[in-house]
Amino acid sequence: MQTRILVIGGGFTGIASALRLARKNIEGVHITLVSDRQHFEYHGALYRLVTGTSPLEICMPLREIFKGTNVEVVLDTITTLDTTVKIARGASGSKYHYNHLVLGLGAETNYFNIPGLKELSFGMKTINDALRLKRHISEVLLTCKTGTKEEQVCATNFVVIGGGPTGMEMAADLIVYARKIAKEHGVDPSLVNVEIVEGAKRLIPTLPEAFAERLEERVRELGVKVLTNRVVEREEVEGVYLKDMELRTKTVIWTAGVMAHHLYREWGFSVDKRGCVEVDEFFRPKGMTQVYVGGDAAIAEYWGMAQTAHAHGEYIAEVIASELAHTTAPVFHPKAPIYAIPSGPGWAGVLWGKTTVYGKTGWFLRRLVDFIVFQWMLPFRKAWDIFQSGRTPSDACPVCSVEIGSANGSHHQHSIP
Ligand SMILES: Cc1cc2nc3c(=O)[nH]c(=O)nc-3n(C[C@H](O)[C@H](O)[C@H](O)COP(=O)(O)OP(=O)(O)OC[C@H]3O[C@@H](n4cnc5c(N)ncnc54)[C@H](O)[C@@H]3O)c2cc1C
């Protein structure tokens, strides 16, 4: 009888484990990967989608990734899991029997029940989030031209909540992009204001102070205002309220909270306050065998990073292969990730162990990391094509199809209705 390996989640953990297992060509094994999306979304480049890069770089079809392998890819949303009889069920009504189960459902945005945030702010977790935000930026800038001075100030103020890497890269690119769009639409670009709000004493509180300070200096140079030690209390349609401070804005981008996927809690796994699952040294949830949880949903060192999730996925594949071969699984050695944080076009700060690099070289290293990620999933040629698509600007304003002016100041076709 065939051994059924079921992988749930088409993100870093799921793809890495399924690919590594497939490459082992173990006889008598059937691998099924179930995901609620047809494609893999590369979150690391989401901010660039908001500010003008081609969506091709962010979106890789799963069928392309698994082409030529023995992995069966199924589009379904898993809703229930019964580990006693080893069956997962999907929203489609399908049942998935397994012998070994890999769970890589990732994380979700956490709004900490702050009033108004879930309904009114923009998230940064999916391609849809990014495209919605891109459109909104153009809409507010296009429509504010006819408003009063006060309305213009409100419309041109963008507030990014969360001074971690996602908030930093978003704010830095946004100020450059929004000024370009404003200019195209006849709005004074100097009105554009971007603010980062961070609850801790400093930006990127999880990384070394000197590194964070250099990145903060860079975003300030670009014109971003930094507010630290500020906690958000509520959001309303035209403003966000911090403790003793109100910021007038129509755009709040929330990057300050993530939590492991809610299904782990619903399925009764033992979790911490972030909803992450307690796992043993083989990434098995407490008291379980032949079930593995990795990536953003597992309590582990260097949590919340793609590189970590990828390493978990590959390691889980090794554990399963060892079990099937009745050998001892290798020991997992967590590796410190490379932190490569972009800060405006063509500039990034990189922290690799104790080495730091800033500026254009940092940007080059960041792009190299992007390419390595594509290479994890795809053959060289395909990875190169996707990487190149990230260099192609998708500069048309999503509202009025005006092409944003190129660096040399030339402008292209216009078709404002
Ligand atoms: C904006 C942003 C920027 C980031 N930038 C970086 C960066 O620069 N560098 C870095 O190292 N990390 C970065 N990260 C973090 C990185 O993306 C995550 O750590 C990584 O994706 C976690 O991998 P995962 O496998 O746990 O989950 P994911 O990659 O999120 O995959 C989860 C998968 O499960 C699927 N799924 C969910 N629920 C179901 C269900 N019920 N049924 C079936 N399928 C389901 C989802 O569709 C998805 O495909 C960033 C994250 C964000 C949000």
Side-chain angles (χ1 to χ4, degrees):
M1 211 179 84
Q2 273 202 326
T3 300
R4 284 175 290 208
I5 301 177
L6 176 64
V7 179
I8 305 178
F12 278 100
T13 312
I15 293 173
S17 59
L19 274 181
R20 172 69 69 111
L21 277 163
R23 283 171 189 154
K24 287 181 180 289
N25 268 324
I26 308 168
E27 227 173 276
V29 162
H30 183 84
I31 308 164
T32 307
L33 182 138
V34 182
S35 187
D36 59 357
R37 293 183 196 130
Q38 306 259 25
H39 58 273
F40 162 75
E41 289 195 0
Y42 179 44
H43 296 149
L46 266 186
Y47 77 99
R48 290 216 299 276
L49 179 52
V50 177
T51 58
T53 302
S54 161
L56 289 176
E57 192 196 10
I58 286 118
C59 179
M60 289 178 225
L62 290 174
R63 280 180 207 285
E64 198 75 60
I65 294 171
F66 290 103
K67 203 166 156 184
T69 71
N70 59 354
V71 177
E72 184 192 0
V73 177
V74 178
L75 177 68
D76 202 353
T77 303
I78 297 299
T79 50
T80 57
L81 173 67
D82 189 337
T83 51
T84 49
V85 289
K86 299 192 170 186
I87 296 177
R89 285 189 173 78
S92 67
S94 298
K95 277 186 194 173
Y96 303 92
H97 294 264
Y98 65 83
N99 301 99
H100 298 262
L101 173 68
V102 182
L103 293 169
L105 300 177
E108 296 169 333
T109 307
N110 183 8
Y111 297 97
F112 301 106
N113 292 323
I114 299 170
L117 268 187
K118 189 172 179 188
E119 299 75 28
L120 298 169
S121 70
F122 290 84
M124 271 300 283
K125 204 70 186 83
T126 63
I127 290 178
N128 281 344
D129 288 342
L131 290 175
R132 194 168 77 90
L133 175 58
K134 182 178 172 129
R135 191 175 175 84
H136 168 85
I137 292 166
S138 287
E139 271 167 1
V140 288
L141 291 174
L142 187 63
T143 51
C144 81
K145 250 191 315 196
T146 50
T148 61
K149 189 84 189 162
E150 204 178 69
E151 284 164 347
Q152 284 196 351
V153 168
C154 177
T156 52
N157 195 27
F158 300 92
V159 179
V160 178
I161 309 200
T166 302
M168 296 279 281
E169 62 197 20
M170 186 69 252
D173 244 44
L174 180 58
I175 194 156
V176 178
Y177 177 73
R179 282 180 176 158
K180 270 202 283 189
I181 295 259
K183 197 168 167 208
E184 278 306 323
H185 292 332
V187 175
D188 178 1
S190 71
L191 281 178
V192 171
N193 197 33
V194 176
E195 288 165 312
I196 299 185
V197 177
E198 166 59 44
K201 278 199 304 235
R202 63 173 173 91
L203 297 181
I204 336 182
T206 50
L207 295 184
E209 201 163 346
F211 181 66
E213 270 173 11
R214 181 65 191 94
L215 285 170
E216 178 171 339
E217 194 183 300
R218 164 70 183 171
V219 291
R220 284 185 190 276
E221 278 162 15
L222 290 170
V224 174
K225 296 199 176 104
V226 177
L227 298 168
T228 49
N229 259 327
R230 302 276 178 177
V231 180
V232 178
E233 294 193 328
R234 68 178 198 280
E235 183 183 349
E236 292 181 6
V237 176
E238 295 206 337
V240 60
Y241 294 79
L242 317 177
K243 205 163 173 276
D244 19 285
M245 196 175 191
E246 177 196 340
L247 304 174
R248 303 280 300 146
T249 180
K250 289 185 171 191
T251 317
V252 173
I253 305 163
W254 175 252
T255 71
V258 285
M259 196 156 184
H261 200 290
H262 66 275
L263 282 177
Y264 295 104
R265 303 193 288 285
E266 276 175 29
W267 290 340
F269 288 93
S270 169
V271 297
D272 68 2
K273 63 182 188 327
R274 286 176 310 187
C276 294
V277 178
E278 241 180 278
V279 291
D280 66 13
E281 70 269 39
F282 302 115
F283 290 87
R284 295 178 305 205
K286 229 174 157 186
M288 289 189 182
T289 54
Q290 298 180 338
V291 177
Y292 312 86
V293 176
D296 282 2
I299 300 175
E301 213 171 336
Y302 309 121
W303 176 84
M305 299 290 294
Q307 299 153 74
T308 305
H310 181 260
H312 289 176
E314 292 211 318
Y315 177 70
I316 289 169
E318 291 301 329
V319 174
I320 295 175
S322 304
E323 275 194 25
L324 294 174
H326 305 290
T327 56
T328 313
V331 176
F332 181 68
H333 296 288
K335 266 202 213 138
I338 303 169
Y339 297 93
I341 306 176
S343 195
W347 200 104
V350 174
L351 175 67
W352 190 348
K354 289 195 171 141
T355 307
T356 50
V357 181
Y358 303 100
K360 274 202 174 118
T361 315
W363 175 254
F364 171 78
L365 290 173
R366 165 66 203 210
R367 294 297 289 142
L368 190 64
V369 170
D370 289 339
F371 181 68
I372 291 169
V373 170
F374 305 146
Q375 261 259 267
W376 285 342
M377 322 251 172
L378 296 165
F380 184 88
R381 186 70 240 174
K382 200 85 203 141
W384 182 251
D385 288 345
I386 295 227
F387 177 73
Q388 288 291 85
S389 73
R391 296 179 58 193
T392 317
S394 163
D395 255 3
C397 163
V399 176
C400 63
S401 334
V402 168
E403 292 270 335
I404 309 308
S406 62
N408 63 14
S410 67
H411 300 151
H412 314 292
Q413 124 270 356
H414 291 248
S415 61
I416 299 178

